[in-house]
Each structure stands twice: as C-alpha cells, then as structure tokens.
Amino acid sequence: MLHLLLLALLCGGVSAGSHSLRYFYTGVTPESGVPEFMTAGFVDEEQITYYSSVVGRDKPRQQWMAESQGPDYWEQQTQILQGHEQTFKSNIQIAMKRTNQTGGIHTFQRMYGCEILDDGTTTGFDQFGWDGSDFISFKKDEMVWVTPVPWGQITKAKWDRDMAWNQGNKGYLEQICIEWLKKYVKAGESNLKPNPPEVSFTASKDGRRLSCVATGFYPQSIDVTILRDGRTLEETHSQGILPNHENTYQQTRTVMVEPTDQAKLSCRVEHRGLLEPLVLFLDSKSNSTPIWIIAVIVVLVILVSVIIAVGVAYKKKAGCFSAGNKGYNPTKTSDKGESSSNSSATA
C-alpha cells in the first residue's frame, strides 16, 4: 500500500521537460507490519536514497549516487533522518489525538523538494498528509502554512509563528535544494539521460480496436493520446505505465471504433526524449490487401481461365479423333515446382 502511494505521488505533478528532487517521509503506527518510519529520495524518477527504522541508516539506491558521495555525507544524512524519525512518531500521536483516534493503522507523511524547468525557472514544495489526505502545506513565497482541515488550524498557527524555521525552509527550497539537484543530475547524467519512445499505431484485423504502443522510453513521464480528426478521444483505455526489463518503460493506449469510420485517426505522443510531439496517423490501407497483390490475383485468374478454356477445347477436339484412332495414347508429363534533505517540526 505504501509503495503504491509513493508511486502515485511520484507520478503526479512533474512536467515532462524538467529535473526534480523529491523526498518522501512516511511514519506509521506501531504493529502495522511495516517499518514505523521510512524515507525515499528521488531525482526525476530514479530512487537515489532509502532509510527505514529497521535498518537505521540512510543508504544509496544507485551506484552513481554511492560513488559521488563519501562516508561523511551518509553519516550526516543518517543522523538527520534519525531525528526526523522521532519527530514523526510524536506527530502521529498528536494527529491521532486531534482527530479523536484511539487505535488502528495511521500514516503521517511528508513530501518536499524542488524542480528545475526547461526555461530555467524553479519551484519548491513542502506538504504533509494524514491517512492519505492533505493535512498542511507551505506557501514559500508568503512563508505561511495552509491547511484544508479544521483540526490543522492549531498546527498552522504554531508553524506560522516560527519565522526562523519558515525562513530556513524557504531558503532550502529556493537555493539549497536546487544546488543539490544540480549536483545529483551531473553525477547521474548518463543514467538520467532521456530515452525517446518507439511508437506504433495499429488496428485489429476487424478494424474495431486501435492500439497506440509507446515503449523503450525514459523517464516514465509520458503523454499518449488517440485523436479523431484532431480531437482527443476520451474513451481510451490503458493499464498505465509499465516497466521494461532494461530500465525503460512502456504504455499502451487502446480505443474501440467503428470499422466504417472515415475520420482521420492518429496517435500523439509527448515525451522529454522527443524534440517535439510525435504524431502517427492510422493507415486506412494497412488492414486491406495492397492494390498490386489484387492486380496479380486478377491476372492469374484470367490466365487460369484461359488455360482451362484451351484445355476444354483441346479435349473436345481430341475426342473427335479418338473415335477413329483407338490406338491414340496421350504422352504422360510431370510438372514439379518449388516454393522481427529538509527539516521538520512537531505538529
């Protein structure tokens, strides 16, 4: 469940032409069957770090990450995350009290980080969640906290007063986070290089099912749409973005149509590895017999008809002679052929 939740957060809100650094913290009530505290760091869509209360240390998840950072880095990050672990345990108890919870499994989460867009502009975000719903988020430009739940007003008032923390949080999101993101992108440049998708757009034999397949792409952020006369078809179906064995991804989008539909059908794909959107049109002749094959068949039919007619005429003529020449024997013949990290506070 936690893995799917992290994946859903990871796949949302990141533009195709940017680099991002994001951290996910998850605290869970005891005896839930999972570690009470876990963190994961991501550059774009590559996980670079992992910490859990069971292991008790921050660990690299990529070889280039391990090679680019020395022992002091991992020791410092471990100490910071051990402090966060204690804070999250306290926040779970506070949140349970304020939401009148006395038992059960509950989660307290944080997602923060920054992003560099193609035009050079940057963004930063810091938000908290409780049991899978929004709890409170930081508006760095105004240095205030926003909460959508009534019981979050206590936390908002407390954190809004902590100007030193808010100033430090703003500085981290706008400067420190961006600096580290640039370092990580440079260290993992060869691994983080975008790989464009290979795209095919085909119809089933009966012409009712259209399938647009994009495969072999990295990163996994991609937009695949099927269009009818230039307008997006909303009734399409997809099983989502699936991993390939060579650290790339694939996605198939399908739609059902009428075989007699004369509209122009196309597939449009947008991805960071493409200089511009790729558009493939469905070849209406792809499911029909090519004209040259039809022409050859017609010629062969005519030749066979002529041969049969000649043979019939020959047999009739031969029959006339056989009556007066009983010793006639036709000659026997044979014809043989051959044939693809940031700080946090208690609530």
Side-chain angles (χ1 to χ4, degrees):
M1 178 186 69
L2 292 173
H3 174 74
L4 292 176
L5 181 58
L6 287 176
L7 184 60
L9 291 171
L10 179 63
C11 294
V14 178
S15 61
S18 64
H19 285 297
S20 62
L21 174 61
R22 286 166 289 172
Y23 291 96
F24 301 88
Y25 293 1
T26 301
V28 187
T29 47
E31 301 179 359
S32 59
V34 297
E36 293 184 40
F37 182 68
M38 297 168 286
T39 75
F42 289 83
V43 171
D44 295 344
E45 286 147 15
E46 289 284 351
Q47 185 178 357
I48 60 171
T49 62
Y50 175 75
Y51 173 94
S52 79
S53 54
V54 175
V55 177
R57 297 197 63 81
D58 196 23
K59 297 284 187 179
R61 272 290 184 262
Q62 300 293 329
Q63 184 63 34
W64 58 266
M65 188 67 182
E67 294 173 352
S68 63
Q69 306 301 326
D72 291 343
Y73 171 90
W74 299 107
E75 181 60 34
Q76 182 183 35
Q77 293 301 311
T78 294
Q79 293 179 10
I80 292 173
L81 293 176
Q82 287 174 347
H84 284 309
E85 180 178 343
Q86 300 307 314
T87 302
F88 265 58
K89 288 182 179 180
S90 298
N91 282 336
I92 288 178
Q93 297 304 315
I94 293 173
M96 288 182 65
K97 182 178 180 180
R98 291 181 185 170
T99 56
N100 298 318
Q101 304 288 336
T102 58
I105 298 176
H106 301 281
T107 59
F108 189 85
Q109 292 185 293
R110 183 186 188 186
M111 177 178 70
Y112 71 91
C114 55
E115 188 176 1
I116 303 175
L117 304 178
D118 272 347
D119 59 5
T121 58
T122 63
T123 63
F125 51 90
D126 191 0
Q127 57 195 69
F128 292 79
W130 172 249
D131 284 348
S133 299
D134 291 339
F135 163 45
I136 195 168
S137 59
F138 183 56
K139 296 183 68 174
K140 66 179 182 64
D141 293 336
E142 294 86 357
M143 286 195 299
V144 295
W145 293 87
V146 179
T147 177
V149 292
W151 60 271
Q153 293 297 326
I154 300 175
T155 301
K156 169 181 167 54
K158 178 182 178 182
W159 289 1
D160 281 348
R161 290 194 300 266
D162 195 342
M163 294 305 297
W165 181 44
N166 292 333
Q167 187 65 51
N169 204 11
K170 177 180 173 69
Y172 171 83
L173 296 175
E174 293 182 344
Q175 299 176 14
I176 299 174
C177 182
I178 297 297
E179 292 173 2
W180 277 105
L181 172 56
K182 291 178 179 178
K183 291 179 182 179
Y184 294 147
V185 169
K186 184 177 181 180
E189 185 175 8
S190 59
N191 298 80
L192 299 171
K193 184 178 179 181
N195 195 52
E198 296 179 4
V199 183
S200 61
F201 188 36
T202 58
S204 59
K205 290 183 178 181
D206 60 6
R208 295 182 179 276
R209 183 184 182 90
L210 304 183
S211 298
C212 185
V213 181
T215 186
F217 57 87
Y218 175 87
Q220 69 182 43
S221 297
I222 195 170
D223 187 13
V224 179
T225 54
I226 297 178
L227 303 97
R228 181 181 185 274
D229 286 337
R231 295 184 178 181
T232 302
L233 291 174
E234 302 295 340
E235 318 70 53
T236 59
H237 172 73
S238 174
Q239 292 183 340
I241 299 174
L242 304 176
N244 289 328
H245 64 279
E246 69 275 14
N247 200 33
T248 61
Y249 300 91
Q250 61 172 293
Q251 183 180 30
T252 300
R253 189 164 292 281
T254 60
V255 66
M256 303 301 293
V257 297
E258 289 297 328
T260 57
D261 192 346
Q262 298 300 312
K264 290 184 178 180
L265 299 167
S266 60
C267 175
R268 177 186 174 92
V269 178
E270 295 184 59
H271 186 263
R272 186 188 300 176
L274 299 170
L275 296 178
E276 58 185 16
L278 175 65
V279 179
L280 288 182
F281 286 88
L282 183 68
D283 185 2
S284 59
K285 299 177 182 179
S286 60
N287 295 317
S288 59
T289 307
I291 295 177
W292 68 270
I293 294 181
I294 296 176
V296 170
I297 293 174
V298 171
V299 172
L300 289 176
V301 169
I302 294 174
L303 288 176
V304 170
S305 299
V306 172
I307 292 173
I308 292 174
V310 173
V312 171
Y314 176 80
K315 288 184 177 180
K316 288 183 178 179
K317 184 177 180 180
C320 296
F321 285 102
S322 61
N325 186 7
K326 297 181 181 180
Y328 171 78
N329 289 316
T331 304
K332 293 183 179 180
T333 62
S334 63
D335 184 10
K336 297 181 180 179
E338 298 178 357
S339 59
S340 171
S341 304
N342 191 14
S343 61
S344 63
T346 58

